[in-house]
Amino acid sequence: MIENIKEVKKDELLAEVKKFADAKARFVTAVCNDLGDKLEVTYFFNMSPGMEMHGLRMTVGKDEEVPSTTGIFLTTVLIENEMKEMFGLKVKDIAIDFGGHMLLAQDSPVTPMLKTGAAGGKGGE
Amino acid sequence: MGIINTSRIKSPWIMHFDNSSCNGCDIEVLACLTPLYDVERFGIVNMGNPKHADVLVVTGPVNRRTARVLKNLYAQIPDPKMVIAVGTCACSGGVFHNCYNILGGVDKVIPVDVYVPGCAVKPEAIIDGVVLALQKLSKALGVAK
Amino acid sequence: MAPRTVAPFGPQHPVLPEPIQLKITYEDEKVVDVVPAIGYGHRGIEKACELNEYPKNIYLCERICGICSCIHGISYCEVVERLWPIDVPPRAKYLRTIWSEMSRTHSHLLWLGLLADAFGFESMFMQFWRIREKVLDLLEMTTGQRVTQSISVVGGVRRDIDDEQKKKCIEVLREVRKESEALINVLANDYTVKARTVGKGVLTKEQAIALGCTGPHLRASGVKEDCRMQGLQAYGDLGFEPIVEKDGDCYARTLVRCRELLQAIDLQLEAFSKMPEGEIAVRPKGNPPANEAVYRAEQPRGEVFYYAKGNGTRNLERLRVRTPTYANIPSLLVMLPGCELPDVPVIVLSIDPCISCTER
Ligand code: SF4
């Protein structure tokens, strides 16, 4: 079990993240999970200074668009791009959009982290 | 050509390229240059520029993005050249064999002359590998070592 | 307006041992914009961790990064242990602490050497790496490998340190401490070193938190935050205090790492003196249950974040690793614009970048 996780709706996300920004929290990371027909995204924040961690969790459909948090925390740029590439999470308006090729090359498998994605083995052979 | 070939064997210039390795082998290649192992006493000099190099030392497995860079670097090294694959994952893919972004060992992309296994390789093994590559080179050039 | 030039920095560059590319736009000597292009080191380890059985992932996780490999392996074990949860015997906790600090010692020595190299202080580079070899010898003696130790297993550690090894460790560590102190004195007080680092790449406390920086990078900006403060493993018993500097420039980052290096040696010596006797491992029962866990540990480069989700089988449902450099790279976007071109290598190096970590 992970402590201090709060479930939020997609529309409330930005308001909730803003609260963390106002409290001078430090963004830790986000974790995306494939639940089959839905994606579960959890954002983690550290209450600086100190070592207390809080999370925001939202569950969205695979074709739903989600807002970008880069307007509040610039540092989420990398993780949002990554989730977009790896899980096909549709994040709108990322501050620096790598267009799905931040980590993956042109000929890499698409959305490899989905459960149905490439099983691996010598580059998907 | 005699003197050039002789000095090629006596003082090879190496260039190190890191594909997508875990760094373990890179720091061991670097450790070869530092006082305890000090390959410079054998005349081996580390170069940053492929056009000056004789020997290409490659660490790490080839992934889909570095494949292009590696081919490019290989093409820039003047003949005769030697390629040494350092580390298990440069030889065959190693622990990363079932990662989706990995093509496999270095030999999937460019020809390899010497394989040095080990994860991570020991500096002694790297030095051995370079010596082996030089023997091969001197045979190819017809120069007595 | 002076003409603008775009220069690629990397992916193969003499200063960087690793492939990363920065596209730098500059006017005369002034940097106006940078765009990092990463992906040269992406392998897909997180997916491979789902395909392998959980005990085998230790070796894969260690190879996320070869420099902080020991702590990666330990953190993976700790997060999987939290799924049950399993309680690790106290001696194993101490041993994990000792090996963590030992790898921090070697990593900081490595970094200090690379920093000296970045501004052309070649002999200093050689000296730091000479000392580092002694630490690697200790690691080899106690674990069997120089770089990728694979010392931790789920439930404890794989090997014990006996009395003879302990004596040798203490002796060598004292020696290392003395020699590094002498070198640090030179590094911290040298006029040229100061000229190259003081006031370069300044990051204020507010910026550092907003950008989510971690580790020595964050502490150099005056934020007292260190995962070892959680008191896990043996850190609770050892009276650990994080090291903080105020200025937030490259010089402050150097000082933090210098002092952490000495502190790491002291922590090891203290841990050796307090280490309890007893078991070194317990056997996990069954498979990891369907549960989630997070674990954060302090690596030489900053905080590493592990998230694991089990599903009751021998494979994990999901493993996510957020490495320190992943959090520190965005700060480059703030520090680099406005600096002089020759300072770029020093500033890039001052976050202690580890690219293979970042991309996994
Ligand atoms: S052989 Fe092993 S230590 Fe060397 S780069 Fe590959 S994974 Fe890392």
Side-chain angles (χ1 to χ4, degrees):
Chain A
M1 275 310 293
I2 308 177
E3 287 150 22
N4 299 331
I5 287 201
K6 186 173 160 191
E7 303 271 346
V8 291
K9 296 254 162 48
K10 190 179 74 179
D11 321 320
E12 305 159 359
L13 178 72
L14 288 187
E16 289 287 333
V17 172
K18 191 87 186 37
K19 276 188 207 156
F20 280 108
D22 292 339
K24 297 259 176 297
R26 176 167 66 83
F27 176 75
V28 178
T29 193
V31 177
C32 193
N33 263 335
D34 182 6
L35 301 182
D37 51 346
K38 286 200 154 88
L39 293 174
E40 175 195 80
V41 188
T42 318
Y43 293 83
F44 289 99
F45 298 89
N46 187 63
M47 307 308 284
S48 298
M51 277 284 113
E52 198 185 317
M53 197 158 64
H54 287 264
L56 292 177
R57 172 165 284 176
M58 69 174 179
T59 315
V60 293
K62 281 197 172 155
D63 44 6
E64 267 179 76
E65 284 197 330
V66 297
S68 163
T69 52
T70 47
I72 306 170
F73 284 100
L74 176 67
T75 169
T76 54
V77 158
L78 294 178
I79 183 66
E80 287 191 349
N81 271 294
E82 188 179 322
M83 291 193 292
K84 196 170 166 180
E85 281 178 39
M86 301 295 171
F87 290 91
L89 181 72
K90 297 196 169 50
V91 190
K92 271 190 309 205
D93 310 323
I94 309 181
I96 306 172
D97 198 334
F98 287 85
H101 293 292
M102 182 177 86
L103 293 175
L104 298 179
Q106 302 292 346
D107 54 351
S108 300
V110 193
T111 60
M113 287 300 290
L114 290 181
K115 291 288 174 208
T116 51
K122 299 271 155 60
E125 255 168 36
Chain B
M1 282 306 275
I3 182 152
I4 292 183
N5 279 344
T6 313
S7 30
R8 221 174 235 144
I9 307 291
K10 294 283 181 208
S11 172
W13 288 11
I14 63 170
M15 198 192 80
H16 168 222
F17 179 66
D18 170 3
N19 277 309
S20 39
S21 82
C22 82
N23 273 349
C25 288
D26 304 306
I27 52 176
E28 294 293 56
V29 169
L30 266 181
C32 283
L33 304 171
T34 52
L36 191 65
Y37 297 100
D38 195 14
V39 291
E40 248 169 69
R41 68 203 151 122
F42 303 127
I44 302 175
V45 185
N46 191 24
M47 279 290 121
N49 187 340
K51 295 193 175 122
H52 297 165
D54 304 307
V55 179
L56 178 62
V57 174
V58 190
T59 51
V62 181
N63 79 2
R64 293 174 191 269
R65 196 170 284 194
T66 50
R68 181 183 52 96
V69 184
L70 186 59
K71 267 185 220 154
N72 191 345
L73 281 176
Y74 182 74
Q76 285 186 42
I77 299 178
D79 274 326
K81 53 193 162 195
M82 282 281 140
V83 177
I84 308 180
V86 168
T88 306
C89 64
C91 298
S92 66
V95 275
F96 305 125
H97 69 99
N98 61 354
C99 296
Y100 56 81
N101 212 29
I102 295 294
L103 293 173
V106 175
D107 49 9
K108 287 261 158 65
V109 180
I110 57 173
V112 176
D113 297 285
V114 178
Y115 296 87
V116 186
C119 183
V121 277
K122 296 197 76 172
E124 290 93 338
I126 300 178
I127 298 175
D128 268 0
V130 176
V131 171
L132 207 63
L134 291 182
Q135 279 168 6
K136 207 172 159 186
L137 188 62
S138 60
K139 228 184 247 154
L141 293 173
V143 188
K145 167 106 173 114
Chain C
M1 197 175 90
R4 292 193 168 189
T5 322
V6 181
F9 183 77
Q12 190 263 334
H13 189 280
V15 187
L16 301 167
E18 297 176 80
I20 180 179
Q21 192 177 32
L22 297 172
K23 291 196 184 101
I24 302 177
T25 314
Y26 57 97
E27 263 174 42
D28 290 338
E29 287 271 282
K30 237 185 169 54
V31 176
V32 285
D33 195 20
V34 277
V35 181
I38 58 175
Y40 291 94
H42 181 60
R43 288 153 279 174
I45 291 185
E46 286 179 9
K47 183 78 184 183
C49 282
E50 293 171 13
L51 303 173
N52 293 352
E53 294 186 347
Y54 80 92
K56 288 189 184 163
N57 284 344
I58 301 168
Y59 311 110
L60 204 51
C61 285
E62 288 225 313
R63 281 153 185 84
I64 288 175
C65 169
I67 306 178
C68 15
S69 63
C70 186
I71 305 185
H72 267 299
I74 292 174
S75 309
Y76 171 77
C77 294
E78 295 256 354
V79 77
V80 175
E81 280 155 12
R82 281 188 178 190
L83 291 175
W84 271 279
I86 298 175
D87 210 17
V88 178
R91 188 172 174 93
K93 286 187 183 164
Y94 267 83
L95 288 169
R96 281 182 180 179
T97 309
I98 288 171
W99 277 309
S100 303
E101 290 305 317
M102 218 180 257
S103 71
R104 191 183 321 277
T105 315
H106 106 74
S107 173
H108 277 346
L109 283 169
L110 175 138
W111 181 82
L112 287 169
L114 287 180
L115 177 82
D117 195 40
F119 45 71
F121 203 155
E122 188 90 7
S123 52
M124 182 72 108
F125 165 66
M126 295 290 178
Q127 290 293 344
F128 273 121
W129 280 60
R130 182 180 57 78
I131 304 177
R132 179 177 164 266
E133 288 294 335
K134 295 191 181 172
V135 184
L136 288 185
D137 284 346
L138 285 188
L139 279 170
E140 190 174 8
M141 178 182 78
T142 50
T143 69
Q145 238 286 13
R146 284 161 55 91
V147 186
T148 41
Q149 291 92 8
S150 307
I151 192 61
S152 182
V153 289
V154 176
V157 292
R158 189 167 54 80
R159 265 202 202 189
D160 203 351
I161 297 184
D162 62 26
D163 283 342
E164 202 179 315
Q165 288 175 335
K166 183 170 146 184
K167 229 171 78 208
K168 174 92 180 152
C169 285
I170 293 175
E171 186 191 313
V172 174
L173 285 171
R174 291 224 171 96
E175 223 172 89
V176 169
R177 192 177 198 287
K178 212 163 109 220
E179 290 184 22
S180 357
E181 253 175 355
L183 282 184
I184 287 171
N185 254 338
V186 178
L187 190 73
N189 299 319
D190 188 80
Y191 167 76
T192 21
V193 174
K194 280 192 179 165
R196 288 301 299 273
T197 52
V198 174
K200 309 281 187 211
V202 180
L203 207 64
T204 61
K205 193 170 172 176
E206 287 72 32
Q207 280 175 321
I209 292 181
L211 286 166
C213 301
T214 66
H217 191 34
L218 181 66
R219 290 195 287 281
S221 295
V223 186
K224 194 172 162 186
E225 225 175 277
D226 190 314
C227 291
R228 287 173 284 177
M229 277 155 60
Q230 297 172 99
L232 298 169
Q233 292 173 13
Y235 291 112
D237 304 349
L238 296 181
F240 167 79
E241 261 303 305
I243 285 167
V244 181
E245 287 282 334
K246 293 225 161 43
D247 299 338
D249 56 2
C250 291
Y251 185 64
R253 279 167 226 147
T254 314
L255 283 189
V256 167
R257 291 196 177 97
C258 290
R259 288 171 54 200
E260 273 190 6
L261 165 65
L262 300 179
Q263 184 197 36
I265 298 176
D266 292 344
L267 282 174
Q268 283 168 61
L269 293 174
E270 202 186 331
F272 271 125
S273 68
K274 289 191 180 164
M275 188 156 64
E277 293 295 327
E279 287 284 298
I280 57 166
V282 290
R283 260 193 117 70
K285 282 198 199 69
N287 295 329
N291 195 358
E292 316 176 277
V294 289
Y295 178 76
R296 292 190 293 165
E298 189 73 12
Q299 280 191 339
R301 284 154 188 74
E303 159 197 303
V304 67
F305 170 100
Y306 267 78
Y307 166 92
K309 187 174 180 188
N311 56 4
T313 66
R314 271 184 91 71
N315 295 48
L316 291 180
E317 176 85 10
R318 171 98 168 99
L319 181 80
R320 158 116 183 108
V321 187
R322 199 288 325 259
T323 54
T325 311
Y326 201 91
N328 284 340
I329 280 188
S331 66
L332 284 180
L333 300 176
V334 174
M335 291 193 295
L336 284 179
C339 77
E340 305 272 315
L341 197 56
D343 291 334
V344 171
V346 178
I347 295 178
V348 171
L349 214 76
S350 77
I351 69 164
D352 201 351
C354 176
I355 308 306
S356 60
C357 269
T358 312
E359 301 169 355
R360 303 169 309 271

